[in-house]
Amino acid sequence: MPMADIKYIKGIGPAKSAMFNRLDIFTTSDLLHYYARTYQDRRPNKNLNDFKDAQSVCFKAQVLRTQVIPARTIGIFKAFVQDEKNNVFEATWFKRRARGYDVFAQIKKDFSIGSYVWLVAKREDKNSFLSNKIIVDEYYKPTDPELHLHADAIVPIYALTQGLTNKFFRQTMARALGTYLEEEKEILPPELLKKRQLLTIKQALKGVHFPSSIAELENARKRMVYEEFLLMSMAWAIKQKQEKIDEKQHRYELKKHLLTPFKENLPFTFTKAQTRVINEIFKDMLSPKPMTRLLQGDVGSGKTIVALSALLLATENNFQSAFMAPTEILATQHFITLKNQLKNLKVNVEILTSKTTKKNKDKILKDLQEGKIDILVGTHALIEDKVKFKNLRFIVIDEQHRFGVKQRAKLRSKARHIDMLSMTATPIPRTFALALYGDLSVSTIDEMPPNRKPVETLQLNQNAALELLKEEVKKDHQGYIVFPLIDESDKLELKAAKEEFEKLQLALPDIKFAMIHGQMGGQEKQKVMEDFLNKKSQVLVATPVIEVGIDVKNATIMIIQNAERFGLASLHQLRGRVGRGEAKSICVLVAGHTSTLAKERLDILCQTNDGFKIGQKDLALRGPGEILGTRQSGEIELKSADLIKDKDVLEEVVQDKEELFKQDPMLLKEEHQPFKKRLQELYQKYWSFIDLG
Ligand code: ADP
Ligand code: MG
């Protein structure tokens, strides 16, 4: 589709053009499909009290009087205005004075006594209803021909980049709609448009940017959401059809010369659930079709040992495997676990992360290509192009939601016909799985290993928390203290955590503390963890790097500092670091100043240990993007669709997709060509992991 460059829109020069490019907007069509982040209802139906939530309110007012207060450097302009309910407000503008001209000339003209203005404004002090001082974000004259783009209407608010204002963006959008809307082609199959009574693309684009009513906005959004879901699920349907044809060139056999001794050496027996999921996985691996299976099970349910069983099946057949985990510490932990469990077996396990030294790395890469390594554990480092296997056949991805779709796909693309097992503690609802992964097979561990006592969770202050820590250490137990570090590479935050660590040592000199954080070298981390495992240290002070995976049975207390700063899923993961042995464990949440939402999270955590319940709550509290690892990676093109809010649309789509796929599986019909073309474009841009042929 030939599309105009945005620089042809009036008002966009090279500088502005570059700013639009930063938002991934290159053509007029990109612009039209750049949807608002949110909307403000700026119709004049709000009253004064709406000022209370620090949000801007839009209203029409008459100018009563104005005042200029001269000063040497900063000049002040005040306007007293009256709304239609006769409330009087005082608005103030500050401007640096300029020599030779009056910086307030324009505003004085706009606020001439007796004239009307539309104000978008908020209270200066959001807590005081007595003060009538307001801050004006934007104002418009009733005579302004573009008034309804900005005021007296439902107004779109876009996520922008530096240098762009929403006002300018709205003007540009309106111009683009005026000139280029005609070029937008309908891509949805006509029979579906009709069946679901969807707006046409032209109607929807107008409605999604400048809706004249909430109903119009909803209909417009629904059409966009429908389109996104349909494209996504159709792409997966096609992919799966191809996969069904695809057969593995290699076959597995259950030889058991590794699996049997491994099972006999385990210090426990598998739970029923573990046995069931191992069978499901083995069945897939032994079959001619490549496996795509998600293993879900709550924190601590014993997924690692299940993965290890599958890894051994690959090793028994002389196939190589990769085991990828999202953090250095988790990878190290898995490496140690594997080494321990496979002590007496002839299996060569190695670890590769970004912290592996050059010398070691070179050796590992060489051995890998020569087939000397059976299982390679590691982080994102595994997906680098340099990492080449001799006969990779099986991959395990732990905490799969921590990886982007592309990263997972890239690891998988290292060989043909790979079997893939993804693992997660965060369950994915069935409809999501269908839309986001096609028809993913799911195995669920719905049973905890025996003799686990639920972790007791408390909210306490710092001193009470440390008292509990002392008690646990007295019982010869170990513990963790976790500090929130939003960004592991943030030096200031790390420094603060280190200072806290030193303070702790001073305050509790009898306890042997050790510290671990993301900036430490790989071997250094491994040493700290091994020391902790061997009880050389008693309390591990950590940044959230330990969130996933750490497994030390003797640790019975987890203290989470500034717990209000963690998300629900993270808190549950952190808590899962304790309660792994037979002794009763405690998790202490030490919170600073909490918002209502944070309080709700902490309360939920105190009430339940059930990861599935927590997962559901988490979805409800903050939407699925982060949980599913889609939004933040931006790799799945869902611009307006929200898996939770738009569940009903998703269900319609799943149904319609099936029909469409039945009637025209390869999209050959004339009326489906625009849809197919759009699929191919998306495929090139975002979905290259889906092989559309
Ligand atoms: P997660 O599912 O969170 O990854 P892990 O695989 O780390 O859980 O397992 C948690 C702990 O439970 C580990 O210490 C593991 O050795 C132990 N474990 C796993 N399976 C069993 C079992 N069947 N009986 C007893 N302990 C088990
Ligand atoms: Mg795990």
Side-chain angles (χ1 to χ4, degrees):
M1 202 186 326
M3 286 171 293
D5 192 300
I6 39 157
K7 69 177 184 234
Y8 294 115
I9 302 174
K10 194 173 147 238
I12 299 193
K16 284 276 191 299
S17 185
M19 290 171 196
F20 279 81
N21 291 169
R22 254 185 275 147
L23 299 172
D24 240 347
I25 300 171
F26 295 89
T27 66
T28 52
S29 183
D30 292 341
L31 179 65
L32 293 180
H33 289 274
Y34 192 85
Y35 310 136
R37 170 175 61 83
T38 180
Y39 299 82
Q40 275 179 9
D41 191 348
R42 293 187 180 176
R43 294 173 300 180
N45 55 353
K46 302 264 170 164
N47 63 44
L48 174 65
N49 284 338
D50 292 317
F51 272 121
K52 69 170 175 273
D53 41 351
Q55 265 217 345
S56 293
V57 169
C58 183
F59 62 100
K60 192 177 169 186
Q62 189 175 26
V63 181
L64 297 180
R65 75 188 164 87
T66 60
Q67 188 184 1
V68 178
I69 305 169
R72 199 169 295 156
T73 48
I74 307 283
I76 297 174
F77 177 82
K78 274 184 194 295
F80 294 85
V81 299
Q82 185 170 38
D83 72 5
E84 282 167 343
K85 293 182 196 97
N86 297 332
N87 301 301
V88 176
F89 298 103
E90 175 187 336
T92 308
W93 283 262
F94 299 90
K95 269 210 163 100
R96 185 168 293 277
R97 283 159 63 92
R99 204 183 302 206
Y101 75 97
D102 181 1
V103 290
F104 291 123
Q106 184 63 43
I107 204 169
K108 274 188 203 157
K109 231 199 287 166
D110 293 338
F111 282 75
S112 62
I113 313 276
S115 70
Y116 285 91
V117 276
W118 278 96
L119 300 177
V120 180
K122 55 179 167 285
R123 273 188 191 279
E124 195 175 290
D125 178 356
K126 66 172 186 223
N127 296 317
S128 169
F129 290 95
L130 297 174
S131 163
N132 63 346
K133 291 190 172 154
I134 55 172
I135 298 169
V136 174
D137 299 332
E138 299 164 35
Y139 71 83
Y140 301 93
K141 300 298 291 177
T143 48
D144 187 338
E146 288 181 335
L147 175 72
H148 295 294
L149 299 183
H150 314 292
D152 194 17
I154 301 167
V155 172
I157 308 291
Y158 299 92
L160 298 178
T161 177
Q162 209 172 10
L164 289 175
T165 62
N166 257 292
K167 184 175 174 187
F168 175 75
F169 203 84
R170 286 192 293 265
Q171 284 165 347
T172 311
M173 188 65 82
R175 284 189 190 135
L177 278 170
T179 317
Y180 298 99
L181 185 62
E182 281 313 305
E183 288 177 23
E184 287 294 316
K185 300 264 183 311
E186 183 58 70
I187 62 144
L188 282 182
E191 68 273 21
L192 295 180
L193 268 177
K194 195 157 157 239
K195 175 177 174 195
R196 298 293 178 190
Q197 296 186 325
L198 299 168
L199 296 187
T200 65
I201 186 64
K202 290 185 187 126
Q203 293 166 328
L205 281 171
K206 237 192 240 160
V208 87
H209 291 295
F210 299 109
S212 55
S213 66
I214 297 288
E216 186 185 357
L217 175 59
E218 278 171 359
N219 282 333
R221 242 197 104 251
K222 178 180 170 182
R223 137 94 213 203
M224 299 305 184
V225 169
Y226 183 95
E227 179 179 315
E228 285 173 19
F229 280 150
L230 189 69
L231 284 162
M232 187 82 206
S233 45
M234 196 63 189
W236 281 112
I238 294 174
K239 175 182 164 57
Q240 262 163 9
K241 188 180 154 80
Q242 284 166 344
E243 273 185 355
K244 291 219 170 87
I245 307 167
D246 237 16
E247 283 204 352
K248 290 188 275 207
Q249 303 293 306
H250 57 282
R251 290 290 185 278
Y252 284 90
E253 251 177 76
L254 203 53
K255 298 187 176 159
K256 295 204 174 172
H257 65 271
L258 292 174
L259 280 164
T260 303
F262 158 72
K263 208 173 148 188
E264 280 164 3
N265 286 340
L266 274 181
F268 47 76
T269 51
F270 289 130
T271 60
K272 268 205 212 90
Q274 282 170 321
T275 307
R276 174 172 45 77
V277 300
I278 289 173
N279 281 328
E280 287 165 4
I281 295 164
F282 278 21
K283 193 167 163 235
D284 275 6
M285 290 172 78
L286 293 163
S287 95
K289 310 280 180 214
M291 165 172 83
T292 306
R293 187 169 279 278
L294 178 71
L295 173 60
Q296 53 184 35
D298 204 351
V299 174
S301 62
K303 295 185 288 294
T304 317
I305 219 78
V306 171
L308 182 49
S309 311
L311 288 165
L312 283 183
L313 177 61
T315 312
E316 276 189 353
N317 286 275
N318 294 318
F319 298 140
Q320 287 178 304
S321 338
F323 188 175
M324 183 163 78
T327 67
E328 167 104 24
I329 295 205
L330 183 51
T332 307
Q333 160 97 25
H334 285 328
F335 179 63
I336 297 173
T337 305
L338 264 57
K339 279 280 197 199
N340 278 338
Q341 303 289 356
L342 305 176
K343 255 196 308 261
N344 306 314
L345 299 176
K346 246 193 96 230
V347 181
N348 194 6
V349 187
E350 271 301 342
I351 178 165
L352 182 70
T353 72
S354 59
K355 297 273 166 60
T356 309
T357 59
K358 171 100 177 49
K359 196 169 140 242
N360 280 346
K361 184 171 176 179
D362 289 345
K363 172 141 176 38
I364 288 171
L365 293 183
K366 186 161 167 286
D367 287 353
L368 197 61
Q369 253 186 325
E370 288 172 4
K372 289 183 189 154
I373 295 171
D374 299 307
I375 303 172
L376 184 60
V377 182
T379 55
H380 301 80
L382 296 187
I383 61 184
E384 279 176 36
D385 291 329
K386 270 184 280 184
V387 182
K388 294 198 179 86
F389 292 79
K390 186 175 180 212
N391 66 342
L392 178 67
R393 293 288 178 260
F394 178 47
I395 58 180
V396 178
I397 300 180
D398 197 12
E399 308 291 339
Q400 63 94 26
H401 58 285
R402 295 288 193 101
F403 293 97
V405 181
K406 270 191 191 152
Q407 292 169 319
R408 283 177 269 165
K410 192 147 180 234
L411 182 61
R412 196 174 191 175
S413 69
K414 286 197 178 279
R416 267 181 76 78
H417 301 144
I418 284 186
D419 288 306
M420 176 165 88
L421 180 68
S422 315
M423 306 201 287
T424 183
T426 312
I428 299 177
R430 168 114 187 109
T431 33
F432 296 5
L434 277 173
L436 294 177
Y437 303 95
D439 204 358
L440 191 70
S441 341
V442 178
S443 288
T444 306
I445 307 184
D446 50 7
E447 174 189 6
M448 282 297 200
N451 301 323
R452 285 280 170 78
K453 298 190 182 60
V455 178
E456 186 184 353
T457 307
L458 307 163
Q459 300 185 50
L460 295 175
N461 67 27
Q462 178 75 10
N463 285 339
L466 292 182
E467 282 308 313
L468 284 180
L469 181 72
K470 279 197 263 182
E471 276 175 37
E472 289 304 308
V473 171
K474 242 186 239 150
K475 288 186 239 166
D476 203 24
H477 292 159
Q478 290 164 288
Y480 305 97
I481 302 181
V482 176
F483 286 94
L485 209 61
I486 304 308
D487 176 3
E488 288 279 348
S489 62
D490 185 326
K491 292 211 175 68
L492 274 179
E493 285 201 316
L494 187 59
K495 188 163 161 266
K498 280 182 181 160
E499 280 167 12
E500 290 299 324
F501 169 62
E502 278 155 21
K503 269 193 227 155
L504 277 168
Q505 271 179 321
L506 283 177
L508 304 170
D510 296 336
I511 296 181
K512 276 178 274 167
F513 288 97
M515 184 168 190
I516 193 160
H517 59 78
Q519 288 301 295
M520 287 163 60
Q523 274 163 355
E524 206 182 347
K525 273 186 216 157
Q526 196 170 328
K527 168 109 177 47
V528 173
M529 279 169 52
E530 272 166 350
D531 283 353
F532 187 64
L533 201 59
N534 298 326
K535 295 200 197 173
K536 283 189 193 152
S537 56
Q538 294 166 303
V539 175
L540 200 56
V541 178
T543 59
V545 289
I546 63 150
E547 179 182 328
V548 284
I550 298 287
D551 183 33
V552 177
K553 292 193 175 54
N554 191 45
T556 54
I557 179 163
M558 160 67 67
I559 298 177
I560 306 174
Q561 302 282 353
N562 289 98
E564 79 282 0
R565 289 171 62 181
F566 291 93
L568 204 41
S570 294
L571 288 169
H572 182 58
Q573 282 275 5
L574 280 170
R575 173 170 62 182
R577 299 312 109 214
V578 295
R580 301 192 149 235
E582 287 176 15
K584 180 175 174 324
S585 293
I586 332 168
C587 173
V588 187
L589 309 172
V590 182
H593 176 77
T594 44
S595 66
T596 337
L597 206 62
K599 175 111 186 45
E600 200 173 332
R601 287 201 295 270
L602 302 185
D603 288 345
I604 292 165
L605 213 70
C606 292
Q607 285 154 17
T608 179
N609 270 292
D610 181 335
F612 280 55
K613 263 193 207 141
I614 289 172
Q616 275 169 352
K617 270 282 181 200
D618 204 17
L619 279 169
L621 285 180
R622 65 174 180 157
E626 205 182 323
I627 295 175
L628 297 169
T630 56
R631 271 286 156 80
Q632 89 263 46
S633 62
E635 285 172 299
I636 289 183
E637 178 79 334
L638 290 179
K639 285 204 284 195
S640 13
D642 179 319
L643 290 160
I644 289 283
K645 264 203 310 218
D646 302 315
K647 208 170 97 263
D648 296 346
V649 184
L650 183 60
E651 260 148 36
E652 287 179 5
V653 167
V654 168
Q655 213 184 330
D656 294 352
K657 175 218 67 181
E658 232 124 83
E659 267 168 49
L660 177 63
F661 192 66
K662 227 184 273 159
Q663 284 168 16
D664 189 10
M666 292 321 283
L667 297 173
L668 297 175
K669 285 190 184 157
E670 184 59 34
E671 69 266 29
H672 296 152
Q673 290 320 297
F675 185 75
K676 183 174 187 178
K677 206 162 153 220
R678 180 88 186 112
L679 257 187
Q680 279 163 338
E681 280 164 16
L682 282 175
Y683 158 70
Q684 275 173 6
K685 200 161 164 196
Y686 302 101
W687 297 344
S688 45
F689 57 91
I690 303 179
D691 187 5
L692 287 174

